[in-house]
Amino acid sequence: MEIKKPFLQTLHGEMTESIPFWFMRQAGRYLPEYGELRSQAGGFLNMVYNPKNAAEITVQPLRRFGMSAAILFSDILVIPQALGQKLEFMAGEGPKLDALKEENDLSKLNSDTIDEVLNPIYETVSLTRQKLNDEGFDQTALIGFAGSPWTVATYMVEGGGSKTYEKTKAWAYGHPTSFQKLIDILVESTTHYLCRQVEAGAESLQLFDSWSGVLDEENFDRWVIKPTSQIVAGVKEKHPDIPIIGFPRGAGTMVFNYAEETNIQAIGLDFTMPQKWATDNLQHLMPVQGNLDPVSLLAGGPQMEEKAQKILKTFGNQPFVFNLGHGIIKETPIAHVEKLCDMIRGYKR
Ligand code: 1CP
């Protein structure tokens, strides 16, 4: 008999007894056991490409908090690296890449051999599935993920994080035909990468579009909605039943078009999304996921409890996955996470 997993049931539109939950960036720096492994491994990428370590980190938060889903420990920037772009993570700093400046630089990218780099990640997925079973997490689903082409492209063109995205936007607005070539490469490689994660045992996928909110409507349509639809269609062609969650962060009311047009199964909401607007406009289309401000979790106490209760009440009448509206912050006290998990688990619909 197949064991039912509340997170997957919810993504398929069923109402489960309690509300499933997980937190973006739940595997990571706020956990002391993560810090220990990181210093032994000698850096972030050494953990990502070591299936044993990566599977261990994926499972770490579940042992403490028992979330309804585990998310593969990896990063959205493994795709540029697999395509041949130089990538480094310096301790305490963000990622650094050898920036692409113009169309000619695209010839440095090669999508034929990405699996040579990505194979250890597929191995992490299968190893994690094994580990979840071995440790008795039989109701916990495993989420695979990738960055969406627009967000990944910003890192490839800016050479790292950015506040303004001027280089990427200038390329996309000024030379859309050549920028399209970069997006096409990312659509193709990301579709392949996600399919391979499913084949290795991922039970759901999330597309992170962290910087989708910096584009105007026309460009949101072209660089966010269209490539996302292509990836969803490509993955569904091979794996029609895999639920895909889209997370177009900062997109405001353009989230509606995204939800309607991309054929995703569920929509992630950031913490700026007005809750009533989201229940009225989105939740009848598909399950939603979100949207507690990670700073509220960091600060803890009564304000967090009130905010979390309001989210549970507002979204809990229809299929809903509790999550944060962005990644958990490094300094977040473990006790605050424990409190939040207890509240979600104890909530009666
Ligand atoms: O130990 C360290 O110093 C590394 C910190 C770290 C971690 C734990 C990075 C560097 N990435 C990760 C893991 C990670 N990244 C996961 C693992 C699973 C989990 O959620 O627990 C996921 C899903 C990501 C996704 C990711 N990476 C995004 C999308 C989500 C988001 O936060 O908006 C983005 C934008 C990245 C790029 C990235 N990787 C790491 C950093 C510090 C950044 C952001 C840089 C920036 O702010 O521009």
Side-chain angles (χ1 to χ4, degrees):
M1 189 192 80
E2 208 194 332
I3 294 161
K4 290 207 164 176
K5 301 188 177 185
F7 171 75
L8 298 176
Q9 289 178 282
T10 300
L11 294 185
H12 286 107
E14 290 173 40
M15 288 291 276
T16 52
E17 202 174 302
S18 62
I19 292 179
F21 66 99
W22 66 283
F23 305 126
M24 287 186 277
R25 296 284 181 104
Q26 65 188 22
R29 294 178 297 178
Y30 71 108
L31 289 177
E33 55 270 38
Y34 169 86
E36 244 166 67
L37 239 178
R38 191 192 202 280
S39 53
Q40 282 167 25
F44 174 64
L45 287 173
N46 285 343
M47 296 193 295
V48 166
Y49 291 115
N50 176 320
K52 210 170 138 261
N53 285 346
E56 170 61 19
I57 296 166
T58 305
V59 179
Q60 279 177 348
L62 305 179
R63 295 193 193 115
R64 280 183 186 264
F65 311 112
M67 291 89 169
S68 320
I71 180 158
L72 164 69
F73 182 78
S74 177
D75 196 78
I76 64 167
L77 299 178
V78 298
I79 285 287
Q81 187 168 44
L83 288 168
Q85 202 173 7
K86 207 173 147 223
L87 168 70
E88 278 180 294
F89 280 97
M90 260 85 86
E93 287 176 51
K96 287 216 166 18
L97 299 93
D98 196 4
L100 303 174
K101 296 197 173 61
E102 52 177 17
E103 185 171 359
N104 277 343
D105 291 342
L106 299 180
S107 63
K108 297 180 195 160
L109 306 176
N110 178 5
S111 55
D112 296 340
T113 51
I114 55 172
D115 281 345
E116 284 171 19
V117 174
L118 299 173
N119 271 328
I121 296 177
Y122 310 141
E123 206 183 307
T124 301
V125 174
S126 10
L127 205 61
T128 306
R129 275 296 292 273
Q130 188 60 50
K131 220 173 160 73
L132 291 173
N133 289 344
D134 291 350
E135 297 194 26
F137 293 112
D138 49 10
Q139 293 207 25
T140 308
L142 179 58
I143 306 172
F145 74 93
S148 295
W150 166 256
T151 287
V152 174
T154 66
Y155 287 94
M156 296 176 85
V157 175
E158 307 287 335
S162 170
K163 289 205 165 70
T164 56
Y165 305 91
E166 278 165 17
K167 292 179 188 142
T168 322
K169 287 171 70 171
W171 188 347
Y173 293 9
H175 308 279
T177 311
S178 89
F179 190 71
Q180 184 72 54
K181 291 183 185 156
L182 172 57
I183 294 294
D184 288 345
I185 293 170
L186 289 170
V187 166
E188 188 204 324
S189 50
T190 304
T191 304
H192 171 82
Y193 176 53
L194 290 171
C195 284
R196 290 293 309 265
Q197 290 183 40
V198 176
E199 286 143 27
E203 298 165 282
S204 167
L205 299 170
Q206 177 153 315
L207 279 166
F208 287 88
D209 217 336
S210 305
W211 311 118
S212 69
V214 302
L215 292 168
D216 63 29
E217 189 176 4
E218 182 194 333
N219 283 283
F220 183 85
D221 189 52
R222 179 154 186 188
W223 308 120
V224 173
I225 293 185
K226 288 224 163 61
T228 302
S229 315
Q230 289 173 311
I231 291 174
V232 173
V235 173
K236 296 253 171 184
E237 204 177 291
K238 279 200 173 157
H239 305 288
D241 297 327
I242 189 84
I244 305 178
I245 307 167
F247 180 48
R249 197 170 73 87
T253 53
M254 290 189 287
V255 167
F256 179 77
N257 307 54
Y258 179 101
E260 269 212 313
E261 292 169 31
T262 55
N263 206 21
I264 49 161
Q265 192 105 10
I267 182 91
L269 307 178
D270 65 47
F271 56 83
T272 65
M273 181 57 62
Q275 289 160 7
K276 180 156 187 328
W277 187 88
T279 49
D280 288 353
N281 292 283
L282 299 171
Q283 216 176 4
H284 66 277
L285 291 178
M286 58 181 61
V288 303
Q289 171 180 284
N291 78 334
L292 182 71
D293 186 341
V295 177
S296 172
L297 178 59
L298 171 76
Q303 61 77 33
M304 175 190 87
E305 293 168 36
E306 283 158 27
K307 281 191 170 62
Q309 280 299 341
K310 181 164 172 265
I311 289 173
L312 289 162
K313 259 201 202 121
T314 311
F315 292 115
N317 298 325
Q318 295 177 78
F320 172 59
V321 175
F322 195 106
N323 204 320
L324 304 178
H326 198 193
I328 195 163
I329 295 163
K330 182 181 166 204
E331 290 76 16
T332 305
I334 301 283
H336 296 185
V337 184
E338 277 167 356
K339 175 76 203 172
L340 179 60
C341 295
D342 288 346
M343 281 180 62
I344 305 166
R345 245 191 297 271
Y347 182 79
K348 296 273 170 285
R349 300 183 114 134

